[in-house]
């Protein structure tokens, strides 16, 4: 009992001490500090065509009435600074780091440039930083790692250079990280995959290289990984889907990944979109993809995939988009594929597929099909007359095959069609 009491005394003393410490710290700044910080920002605005700041950010009025500024109800200090889309140009002054109660900092879609001052690391209460669509041409500062309450970090659509700091893995509350559309290079630090709160990760459209970062922790929150248009290489690690039970989107197109597509990809059972196109994948399409039943979009085009299209893909009942174009696929198109009633787009362009189009009523089984691309294969036989009953078809490309027979008059029944390619076959007759 005495032992417990002394423990309570120690804990209480500790709590009181930390309370005093934070009070002292908060007392060292006040609303006047916030005003100085905002006036420093105003001073650093070099372009303000609408004169918003000049007119509105007047010391005659409380900063809490200034446009873009929101103060907290209790502490009456600046809680939100949102000057997004004001059309401003300028730089971020170090004094902004004195807005000690700031939670949301949104300066997106202006033309801020210059550095991201180290003093911003003092903004320990920050939950959101939105610097997207600006003109920052610097490295990502490593101090971001110390913002342990940050949930949303948008630095996309700038001119950021250098590497992604390892310290970002220390942002233990981060949910969304968007660094897309910059000029970041180097490795993707695997420390990012230590953030258990992470939900969306977008590093697309950079110059990142090396291999897919390793994942060693279960990440049930992670739903979106976008690494599109980088220079990533090597194989796709077979273990990743062990740790990503709720991943919904995996976009890896326009990289230099090679090797086989691991069959273990099917362990990402919640995937709705899988894009592996524009890489150097070889080997067969894993039949296990057929049991990723949530898939709506499957892009495997522009690789070096060979062999037959697995008939298991015919089990993907929710599939809306299937693109296998520009591979070296052979054999016939499994008839079950023509039974996927959600398909809007089917693209088999430039493979070596053989066989006929299904003679039975395609449109009845593909009621929402809009785009059908089959050109550049070795398909034979007649073009089934019922194809012209698919009233939703907008694009039909069957050129560069070995189709034969006559072009039917009923072709004119496709009222929505805007592109029709039938050339370079053995067709006869005029429309
Ligand atoms: C803010 O604090 C400074 C000193 O740190 C003090 O001079 C000033 O009067 C305070 N302003 C308000 C509004 O409390
Ligand atoms: C501030 O208030 C003074 C006195 O009321 C006034 O003369 C001045 O025009 C005001 N300035 C602005 C920027 O509103
Ligand atoms: C500044 O803008 C805010 C929001 O539009 C407005 O409520 C306030 O009256 C304006 N203040 C001045 C001095 O123009
Ligand atoms: C900032 O303001 C814009 C425009 O009003 C709004 O769309 C956006 O959600 C705001 N940002 C934050 C973080 O609240
Ligand atoms: C940026 O803001 C301008 C107005 O200042 C608007 O026209 C444009 O659509 C915005 N762009 C983005 C990407 O939000
Ligand atoms: C605010 O920030 C600046 C620059 O970081 C610093 O010089 C100043 O002392 C800070 N404190 C106050 C109360 O303005
Ligand atoms: C992450 O935080 C830990 C604990 O504060 C620290 O030791 C480590 O150096 C940090 N890592 C990076 C890369 O900043
Ligand atoms: C990054 O990816 C996410 C998830 O798909 C998407 O919502 C977001 O628009 C992307 N960002 C940009 C700048 O394209
Ligand atoms: C997926 O398919 C493979 C082989 O086709 C099978 O071994 C595996 O158990 C299936 N997984 C699920 C979750 O159905
Ligand atoms: C396509 O579906 C129809 C009706 O659901 C069924 O009768 C037919 O056997 C299916 N064909 C294939 C190849 O799965
Ligand atoms: C095309 O339309 C004509 C006139 O409406 C109709 O007689 C013909 O059966 C239709 N052809 C097909 C294949 O649906």
């Amino acid at each position: 009992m005495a032992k417990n009491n002394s423990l309570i005394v120690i804990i209480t003393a500790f709590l009181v001490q930390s309370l005093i410490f934070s009070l002292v710290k908060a007392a060292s700044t006040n609303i006047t500090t916030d005003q100085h910080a905002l006036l420093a920002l105003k001073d650093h605005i070099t372009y303000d065509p609408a004169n918003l700041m000049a007119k509105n950010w007047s010391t005659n009025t409380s900063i809490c009435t200034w446009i873009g500024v929101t103060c907290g109800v209790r502490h009456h200090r600046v809680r939100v600074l949102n000057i997004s889309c004001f059309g401003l140009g300028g730089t971020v002054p170090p004094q902004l780091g004195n807005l000690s109660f700031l939670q949301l900092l949104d300066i997106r879609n202006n033309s801020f440039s210059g550095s991201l001052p180290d003093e911003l690391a003092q903004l320990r209460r920050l939950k959101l930083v939105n610097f997207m669509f600006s003109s920052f041409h610097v490295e990502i500062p490593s101090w971001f790692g110390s913002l342990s309450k940050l949930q949303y970090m948008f630095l996309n659509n700038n001119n950021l250079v250098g590497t992604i700091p390892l310290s970002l893995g220390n942002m233990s509350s981060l949910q969304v990280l968007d660094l897309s559309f910059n000029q970041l290079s180097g490795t993707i630090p695997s420390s990012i995959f230590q953030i258990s709160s992470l939900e969306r990760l977008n590093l697309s459209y950079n110059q990142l290289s090396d291999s897919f970062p390793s994942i060693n922790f279960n990440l049930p929150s992670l739903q979106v990984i976008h690494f599109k248009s980088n220079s990533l290489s090597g194989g796709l690690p077979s273990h990743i889907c062990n740790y990503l039970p709720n991943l919904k989107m995996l976009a890896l197109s326009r990289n230099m990944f090679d090797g086989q597509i691991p069959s273990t990809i099917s362990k990402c059972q919640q995937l709705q979109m899988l894009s592996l196109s524009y890489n150097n994948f070889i080997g067969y399409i894993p039949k296990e993809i057929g049991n990723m039943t949530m898939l709506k979009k499957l892009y495997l085009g522009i690789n070096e995939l060979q062999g037959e299209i697995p008939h298991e893909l015919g089990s993907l009942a929710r599939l809306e988009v299937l693109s296998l174009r520009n591979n070296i696929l052979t054999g016939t198109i499994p008839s079950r594929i023509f039974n996927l009633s959600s398909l809007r787009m089917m693209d088999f362009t430039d493979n070596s597929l053989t066989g006929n189009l299904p003679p039975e009523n395609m449109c009845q089984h593909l009621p929402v099909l809009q785009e059908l691309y089959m050109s550049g294969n070795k398909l034979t036989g007649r073009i089934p007359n019922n194809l012209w009953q698919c009233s939703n078809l907008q694009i039909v490309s069957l050129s560069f095959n070995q189709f034969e027979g006559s072009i039917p008059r009923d072709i004119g029944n496709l009222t929505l069609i805007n592109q029709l390619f039938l050339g370079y076959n053995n067709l006869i007759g005029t429309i």
Side-chain angles (χ1 to χ4, degrees):
M1 196 63 181
K3 215 173 180 183
N4 279 352
N5 279 344
S6 61
L7 189 65
I8 288 168
V9 169
I10 290 170
I11 290 174
T12 311
F14 174 76
L15 288 178
V16 167
Q17 198 189 15
S18 9
L19 186 65
I20 289 171
F21 179 72
S22 56
L23 283 177
V24 166
K25 207 162 169 243
S28 66
T29 67
N30 58 27
I31 188 89
T32 312
T33 324
D34 288 4
Q35 190 189 43
H36 285 156
L38 294 178
L39 289 175
L41 174 61
K42 186 180 170 181
D43 277 348
H44 282 72
I45 301 294
T46 51
Y47 183 71
D48 180 8
N51 257 331
L52 265 179
M53 311 289 259
K55 278 194 206 147
N56 190 282
W57 283 27
S58 151
T59 48
N60 284 7
T61 56
S62 157
I63 59 169
C64 297
T65 69
W66 291 3
I67 189 165
V69 178
T70 309
C71 293
V73 183
R74 269 184 300 119
H75 47 68
H76 210 60
R77 299 285 301 277
V78 176
R79 193 177 60 84
V80 182
L81 179 58
N82 184 352
I83 52 171
S84 61
C85 306
F86 279 16
L88 305 171
T91 56
V92 175
Q95 287 89 341
L96 223 52
N98 286 341
L99 294 174
S100 14
F101 285 80
L102 197 65
Q103 290 184 16
L104 312 179
L105 176 56
D106 190 346
I107 65 169
R108 92 177 85 137
N109 197 7
N110 288 289
S111 299
F112 282 97
S113 55
S115 68
L116 296 169
D118 291 350
E119 286 77 3
L120 298 186
Q122 299 161 19
L123 300 173
R124 294 305 165 96
R125 289 182 169 83
L126 271 184
K127 289 184 183 154
L128 174 143
V129 166
N130 195 333
F131 292 171
M132 64 164 87
F133 291 98
S134 233
S135 307
F136 291 109
H137 182 56
V138 291
E139 296 193 7
I140 299 173
S142 59
W143 55 252
F144 269 105
S146 61
L147 299 177
S148 59
K149 290 188 176 156
L150 200 65
Q151 294 170 7
Y152 302 92
M153 176 170 168
F154 298 98
L155 299 184
N156 52 288
N157 298 81
N158 278 282
N159 302 311
L160 297 171
V161 293
T163 58
I164 300 175
L166 283 176
S167 64
L168 295 199
N170 268 354
M171 290 193 283
S172 49
S173 302
L174 199 64
Q175 293 173 21
V176 178
L177 177 60
D178 196 339
L179 304 177
S180 59
F181 295 97
N182 281 293
Q183 295 148 37
L184 299 168
S185 54
T187 308
I188 300 173
S190 57
S191 63
I192 288 181
F193 288 120
Q194 290 170 16
I195 308 175
S196 59
S197 51
L198 198 61
E199 293 172 9
R200 290 195 279 146
L201 174 61
N202 194 341
L203 306 180
S204 294
Y205 298 95
N206 279 289
Q207 291 143 30
L208 299 163
S209 55
D210 293 337
S211 51
F212 195 99
S214 67
I215 306 182
N216 304 305
F217 300 94
N218 202 24
L219 296 170
S221 300
L222 195 53
Q223 295 184 22
V224 175
I225 296 178
H226 275 229
F227 290 167
K228 199 176 165 178
S229 281
N230 279 287
S231 301
L232 301 169
S233 57
L236 194 55
S238 61
H239 70 276
I240 55 171
C241 285
N242 293 346
Y243 301 108
L244 302 169
N246 293 309
L247 195 68
K248 292 191 168 67
M249 292 191 194
L250 180 61
L252 303 180
S253 56
R254 285 202 188 270
N255 279 289
M256 303 183 308
F257 287 116
D258 57 23
Q260 303 200 5
I261 300 172
S263 61
T264 50
I265 192 96
S266 71
K267 290 187 184 172
C268 284
Q269 275 284 310
Q270 298 302 314
L271 264 193
Q272 294 175 11
M273 194 277 275
L274 174 62
S275 173
L276 303 179
S277 45
Y278 292 97
N279 279 289
N280 303 319
F281 286 111
I282 58 167
Y284 301 124
I285 298 175
K287 64 179 189 314
E288 288 79 2
I289 289 183
N291 61 23
M292 299 172 74
T293 52
M294 302 304 280
L295 269 186
K296 289 182 178 167
K297 296 178 181 176
L298 178 60
Y299 299 93
L300 301 178
I302 328 206
N303 280 293
E304 288 157 43
L305 298 170
Q306 55 169 291
E308 300 196 1
I309 301 172
H311 69 84
E312 284 85 351
L313 297 192
S315 307
L316 298 173
R318 292 184 172 85
L319 205 62
E320 294 169 11
V321 174
L322 174 60
S323 176
L324 304 178
R325 59 173 304 160
N326 295 78
N327 279 294
I328 37 183
L329 298 168
T330 52
T332 59
I333 301 171
S335 55
R336 290 177 64 197
I337 302 265
F338 292 103
N339 244 9
L340 291 172
S341 60
S342 300
L343 273 182
R344 286 184 289 106
M345 193 270 247
M346 209 194 271
D347 191 351
F348 298 131
T349 307
D350 288 337
N351 279 286
S352 295
L353 298 166
T354 53
N356 304 344
L357 290 181
E360 72 264 24
N361 192 339
M362 261 175 82
C363 314
Q364 208 178 317
H365 301 304
L366 297 168
V368 293
L369 192 67
Q370 295 172 357
E371 299 173 35
L372 177 66
Y373 304 92
M374 301 250 172
S375 64
N377 281 287
K378 296 174 180 165
L379 299 169
T380 51
R382 302 177 74 90
I383 300 175
N385 208 32
N386 54 50
L387 183 66
W388 317 116
Q389 286 168 8
C390 301
S391 54
N392 288 310
L393 274 178
Q394 294 169 15
I395 303 178
V396 174
S397 179
L398 302 177
S399 49
F400 293 99
N401 278 291
Q402 290 150 29
F403 288 115
E404 56 195 37
S406 56
I407 300 174
R409 205 168 281 281
D410 297 326
I411 203 165
N413 290 21
L414 292 173
T415 48
L416 293 179
I417 200 95
N418 54 45
Q419 292 180 43
L420 177 62
F421 303 99
L422 299 178
Y424 299 92
N425 280 292
N426 303 321
L427 299 167
I428 49 168
T430 50
I431 305 169

